[in-house]
Amino acid sequence: MRPVPRHRLLAGLLLTPLLTTGCFASGGEASGEDAADGSRLRVALAFPPAENLSPYGADATLLSRLGVTEGLTELDANGSAAPALAASWTRENDRTWLFTLREATFQDGTDVTPAAVAAALTHATEAKPVPAALAGVTLKAAEADGSRVRITTGDADPALPLRLSSPGLAILSPKAYGSGGSGGKGRRPDPAGTATGPFELTKVSGTTAATLDRYDDYWGGRAQASGIDARFISDGTARTNALRTGQADIAEAVPVSQAAALDEGTRHETATTRTTSLLLNTKKGPFKDPALRSTARGAVDTSVFAKDVYEGYADPGAGVFGPAVTWAADKRVKPAGRAGAAEPDGTTVTVATYNNRPELPEVAQVLGQQLEKAGFRVKLEVREYSRLESDALAGKFDAFVAARNTLLDTGDPVSVLASDYTCDGGYNLALLCDKDVDRAVAEAEGLSDSAKRQQAAMDAEAAILGTDAVVPLVHQQIITGVRTSVRGVVFDPYERTLIDTGTRR
């Protein structure tokens, strides 16, 4: 009997939103032939491929959510590392781990071998930019004896099994990196037909659609659906209507404004580890001044966002980590050393956000009103995410409103703090560089005991909040629309999985 994939054990889901609207070919049921072999699933997705379906960037989550890619490990329902392509692992010393592979094949028919796994991880370390899970990490992978892979890190990394669960560290076959495709050192590999998941990517139509077929030799068992027809529909209302009119079986990221339009049996809410925050540019502009950051933080009333903007589908911001991170509340530390507030005197600030998540422009508008009431003059800038990220990371805005799943990239709370708030962080939208923060994160990174690491993460969170570089606004719930004829959709609080072998209609 083949092992059951961990995804079936999860209870919680998530989404993502963006780009072009589109329609499915037809409503109605599958043909007799299709029904006999498992119906295809029609899925309305919010975010289109932003990087040609590279497994190293934002598209990595898209691939994992559709059941295309897998890593050596995955997250279980408690947020711990669980077996995936690696059946087990042991730690040889502080910097070296041995991962024993299970018997599996790539979608091109070749075996998952230690050499192939080591090569895939090596390619990830050479990617530009490096996958978020590897930010600040030096990693070397090599074939070991038997069916094992030896992974060595430059520094001790107690969270390595969690890190390897990242969608950005998916294992692809050597063909994905071949000279005929997009592979090669530092290049983006091609996941079409080269991954290990239950569904094989067979066609991508730009940023509007993708076709996936069942991979019958999947190690975790044959999927019940024969394939997936995905459409990328950026408009939340259009996405919801696709479900209501029978053109879609699953619609992710239903806007809260559309929730009432769905019957109760088709509307599913999931508490997630996603936090919507105001990030203030600490490197240049008005918010380089800690006193003005303090003023901005004091102007924010988080209850307004949870109650009015998210219509109750969110909790007021409490910290970087919200209530879906079940251990956080009991370990939270009160921030200390905050600067005193200063009078803005009409200082103009530019607040940017993206419209891929339909609530964010409204969040930014309400936030602008709160800041103006405190004495700032506010200019809003709203674009789609793919046209905004590089400018935000370059510090071209004074403030940025973003929705961030804090456990998406690695599952390790310390790693997200290192990525988002340290001097060398790869996704540091606040451009924060504070020696006390770096010290607190570094201390947390060195701990292997789970409880101690969690407490150190909360100590580091307090240091970050004390700079007023980030103002947590809400901790989100996500609404997913699912037709009543569909079973087995994965409601994942970590936003990594949507469809697996048990999803069917």
Side-chain angles (χ1 to χ4, degrees), residues 408-441:
L408 177 64
D409 292 330
T410 65
D412 174 35
V414 179
S415 295
V416 77
L417 298 181
S419 168
D420 291 14
Y421 301 107
T422 63
C423 296
D424 295 327
Y427 195 66
N428 189 347
L429 292 167
L431 302 178
L432 180 64
C433 189
D434 182 280
K435 63 180 181 181
D436 292 331
V437 168
D438 278 22
R439 185 183 304 113
V441 172

Side-chain angles (χ1 to χ4, degrees), residues 5 48 136 144 148 183 283 342 366 414:
R148 298 194 294 182
K283 187 174 183 180
V366 173
V414 179

Side-chain angles (χ1 to χ4, degrees), residues 26-42 226 229 505:
S26 64
E29 299 304 317
S31 67
E33 179 182 353
D34 204 21
D37 195 35
S39 298
R40 295 183 68 83
L41 295 166
R42 300 163 301 166
S226 60
D229 297 310
R505 69 177 177 96

Side-chain angles (χ1 to χ4, degrees), residues 311-322:
E311 299 181 16
Y313 292 103
D315 297 296
V320 175
F321 306 106

Side-chain angles (χ1 to χ4, degrees), residues 166-184:
S166 170
L169 297 181
I171 303 301
L172 303 179
S173 77
K175 181 181 176 182
Y177 312 95
S179 59
S182 56

Side-chain angles (χ1 to χ4, degrees), residues 39-54:
S39 298
R40 295 183 68 83
L41 295 166
R42 300 163 301 166
V43 184
L45 299 170
F47 279 108
E51 300 165 323
N52 298 317
L53 284 174
S54 165

Side-chain angles (χ1 to χ4, degrees), residues 2-328:
R2 288 180 172 179
V4 177
R6 178 274 320 177
H7 308 117
R8 297 188 191 177
L9 304 178
L10 285 172
L13 158 71
L14 238 345
L15 344 282
T16 24
L18 187 115
L19 213 87
T20 7
T21 58
C23 294
F24 292 85
S26 64
E29 299 304 317
S31 67
E33 179 182 353
D34 204 21
D37 195 35
S39 298
R40 295 183 68 83
L41 295 166
R42 300 163 301 166
V43 184
L45 299 170
F47 279 108
E51 300 165 323
N52 298 317
L53 284 174
S54 165
Y56 296 149
D59 294 349
T61 307
L62 175 63
L63 293 168
S64 72
R65 286 172 61 71
L66 291 174
V68 177
T69 55
E70 301 174 298
L72 288 181
T73 63
E74 58 188 4
L75 294 183
D76 66 15
N78 296 316
S80 300
L85 290 176
S88 62
W89 53 88
T90 58
R91 193 175 187 182
E92 289 188 307
N93 54 54
D94 282 353
R95 300 191 302 112
T96 306
W97 300 70
L98 275 176
F99 289 80
T100 302
L101 305 181
R102 68 172 74 252
E103 290 187 13
T105 58
F106 293 106
Q107 293 161 352
D108 59 12
T110 60
D111 290 335
V112 176
T113 64
V117 170
L121 291 173
T122 299
H123 278 287
T125 66
E126 296 169 347
K128 305 296 183 185
V130 70
L134 293 181
V137 175
T138 300
L139 178 150
K140 293 183 178 180
E143 180 180 5
D145 59 299
S147 58
R148 298 194 294 182
V149 177
R150 177 173 284 105
I151 300 178
T152 304
T153 55
D155 297 314
D157 187 6
L160 183 65
L162 279 174
R163 190 180 306 283
L164 293 174
S165 73
S166 170
L169 297 181
I171 303 301
L172 303 179
S173 77
K175 181 181 176 182
Y177 312 95
S179 59
S182 56
K185 184 174 180 178
R187 304 286 296 280
R188 293 172 177 171
D190 183 0
T194 62
T196 62
F199 294 99
E200 177 182 352
L201 183 66
T202 58
K203 182 180 179 181
V204 180
S205 301
T207 59
T208 62
T211 302
L212 301 87
D213 293 332
R214 177 171 55 208
Y215 177 52
D216 287 340
D217 291 329
Y218 175 55
W219 64 265
R222 191 169 180 260
Q224 296 192 36
S226 60
I228 301 170
D229 297 310
R231 296 292 184 271
F232 304 106
I233 305 176
S234 62
D235 183 82
T237 300
R239 219 163 38 247
T240 307
N241 285 339
L243 183 82
R244 292 177 59 247
T245 58
Q247 294 182 321
D249 301 308
I250 303 167
E252 67 171 7
V254 172
V256 294
S257 61
Q258 295 295 312
L262 296 179
D263 295 335
E264 186 174 348
T266 63
R267 186 179 67 238
H268 301 264
E269 305 92 36
T270 304
T272 74
T273 55
R274 181 172 294 276
T275 297
T276 296
S277 301
L278 170 66
L279 295 134
L280 303 177
N281 187 338
T282 63
K283 187 174 183 180
K284 57 185 177 181
F287 291 128
K288 184 178 180 180
D289 181 355
L292 285 180
R293 296 200 300 270
S294 178
T295 303
R297 185 251 312 159
V300 175
D301 180 357
T302 60
S303 65
V304 172
F305 300 102
K307 179 181 178 181
D308 296 337
V309 178
Y310 286 89
E311 299 181 16
Y313 292 103
D315 297 296
V320 175
F321 306 106
V325 184
T326 54
W327 48 263

